[in-house]
């Protein structure tokens, strides 16, 4: 019998892709197995996300994480000593109880998630399994053979590009691809052609936070036109082979029912924004729209879902914040048909899985998602495959912290061999 009881919990400050401090935890078990995880950080965060504990003060713009690190090495390490890392649900219950608040406001979700995830890695290592298989055989209970449809950013925007354009993510998906590897090949060509197109338009200004080309456009719609042109230049049929996915991230420019499109110097109400998005759906091969309305507009979300939810996937990110109760509330209101799953929005693995289970019960699709501030940590790839979620959003097809994840999925696809199944277009929320 392997000894999967926790022997040691360590924390250290490491740095994310924006050069900001973040939390890494390392969990060692009685049998010597070791697991390690790093927590990412958002920029366009939902107000209902669990708390990311930062120190404040002057160092690193107030973003240091010494208090979170101290919680990991102090209270959390003491409480988890001797706990069985192979029982993730019990371990996460212990973290939740120790924190004692609804949104991890005492210990910090960055402290709790780092340990929750590192413990899963340690348990997997002890079992001699890659994390996705460990998750499949324990938490998720699935076969862990489903490769996700990648959602890959081509142009960045919103909070990730100095609000140069209002829409945050202009992404592609590949409904015509027959494997994960092929979807990456197709996206690589589209990303390359989009870069060439930007160079032809004028000076190329590099990339935004998640690696998408810097959005040097006069209107939001110009980005959509440039995206279709890139898909065509790469030799693919827009819509059938390569289609468009957007993250509007509307909470960033809308509140109290008013939406200000800064780039275009105009303000819309919720119905005006819905109309605009419906027009885009008519004109462009869009199959997925995330956060079309602000997080406080459940009603608007429901109206948009009624109008468009049969034709496109309607994804709730800031609206649902990876929380099972929020998913249930939205489902009851008929808002959205897909949940975005970001473990650091809740602070433990088990609560993130609960959100996915609530989504499945409601007939929603799911997308496991990275944050705009990322690292080399590839855990989310394993979550997507281990839980059979079917879609994965990681940012662009550039920058090491993004490519580390796409490449990890390629390794898993190869290792699975004939057992690998590609989720394809059936994974979309409106296909269900
Ligand atoms: C989002 C994410 C990733 P952030 O809104 O979906 O694109 O951004 O991590 O800044 O919240
Ligand atoms: Mg989002």
């Amino acid at each position: 019998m392997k000894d999967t009881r926790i022997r040691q919990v360590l924390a250290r400050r490491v740095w994310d892709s924006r050069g900001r401090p973040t939390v890494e935890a390392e969990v060692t078990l009685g049998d010597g197995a070791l697991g390690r995880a790093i927590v990412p950080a958002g920029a366009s965060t939902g107000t209902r996300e669990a708390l990311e504990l930062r120190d404040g003060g002057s160092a690193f713009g107030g973003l240091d994480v010494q208090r979170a690190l101290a919680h990991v090495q102090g209270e959390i390490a003491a409480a988890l000593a001797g706990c069985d890392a192979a029982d993730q649900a019990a371990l996460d219950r212990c973290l939740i109880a120790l924190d004692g608040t609804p949104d991890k406001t005492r210990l910090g979700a960055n402290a709790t998630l780092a340990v929750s995830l590192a413990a899963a890695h340690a348990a997997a290592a002890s079992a001699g399994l890659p994390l996705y298989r460990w998750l499949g055989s324990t938490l998720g209970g699935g076969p862990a053979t489903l490769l996700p449809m990648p959602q890959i950013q081509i142009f960045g925007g919103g909070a990730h590009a100095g609000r140069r354009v209002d829409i945050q993510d202009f992404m592609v998906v590949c409904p015509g691809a027959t494997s994960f590897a092929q979807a990456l090949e197709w996206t690589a060509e589209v990303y390359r052609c989009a870069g060439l197109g930007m160079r032809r338009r004028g000076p190329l200004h590099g990339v935004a936070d998640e690696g998408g080309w810097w959005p040097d456009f006069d209107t939001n719609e110009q980005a959509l036109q440039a995206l279709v042109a890139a898909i065509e230049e790469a030799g693919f049929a827009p819509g059938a082979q390569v289609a468009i996915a957007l993250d509007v991230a509307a909470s960033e420019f809308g509140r109290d029912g008013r939406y200000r499109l800064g780039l275009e110097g105009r303000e819309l109400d919720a119905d005006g924004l819905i109309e605009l998005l419906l027009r885009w759906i008519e004109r462009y091969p869009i199959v997925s729209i995330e956060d079309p309305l602000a997080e406080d507009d459940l009603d608007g979300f429901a109206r948009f879902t009624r109008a468009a939810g049969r034709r496109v996937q309607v994804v709730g990110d800031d609206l649902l914040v990876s929380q099972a109760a929020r998913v249930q509330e939205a489902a009851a209101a008929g808002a959205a048909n897909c949940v975005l799953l970001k473990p650091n929005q809740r602070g433990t693995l088990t609560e993130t899985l609960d959100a996915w289970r609530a989504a499945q019960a409601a007939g929603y699709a799911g997308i496991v998602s990275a944050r705009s501030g990322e690292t080399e940590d590839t855990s989310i790839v394993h979550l997507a495959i281990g839980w059979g979620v079917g879609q994965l959003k990681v940012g662009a097809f550039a920058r090491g912290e993004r490519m580390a994840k796409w490449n990890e999925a390629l390794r898993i696809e190869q290792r699975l061999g004939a057992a690998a199944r590609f989720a394809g277009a059936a994974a979309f929320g409106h296909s269900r």
Side-chain angles (χ1 to χ4, degrees), residues 18 41-45 49 160 168-169 210 247 249 290 317 340 342 369-373 393:
R18 284 191 276 246
S44 64
T45 49
E49 294 191 17
H160 304 157
Q168 181 182 282
D169 296 322
E210 299 191 16
D247 182 358
E290 182 177 327
D317 171 15
L340 201 76
K342 294 167 164 170
S369 172
R371 302 305 307 245
S372 48
K393 176 188 176 194

Side-chain angles (χ1 to χ4, degrees), residues 230-308:
I231 294 169
E232 282 171 344
E233 189 175 340
F236 301 110
Q241 285 182 296
V242 180
I244 295 175
L246 298 179
D247 182 358
V248 177
S251 310
E252 289 292 307
F253 58 86
R255 76 181 30 82
D256 302 328
R258 305 296 302 174
Y259 295 88
R260 172 144 190 86
L261 295 173
L263 177 60
E264 298 165 21
R266 57 182 173 143
E267 195 171 282
L268 301 169
D269 62 10
D271 286 322
L273 181 58
I274 290 173
E275 244 171 68
L276 176 70
L277 295 174
L278 290 175
R279 235 178 6 254
W280 286 355
I281 292 170
E282 290 299 328
R283 284 189 202 154
Y284 303 98
I286 296 171
V287 295
S288 181
I289 301 192
E290 182 177 327
D291 285 350
L293 283 306
E295 62 192 352
D296 59 3
D297 192 359
L298 187 64
D299 234 47
F301 245 98
R303 289 203 300 286
F304 181 71
T305 306
R306 271 199 300 280

Side-chain angles (χ1 to χ4, degrees), residues 148-150 152 174 177-188 397 422:
M149 171 69 83
I152 306 186
C174 298
T178 54
S179 70
F180 180 84
Q182 188 176 48
L184 289 195
E185 285 170 18
W186 290 10
T187 305
F397 208 66
F422 180 50

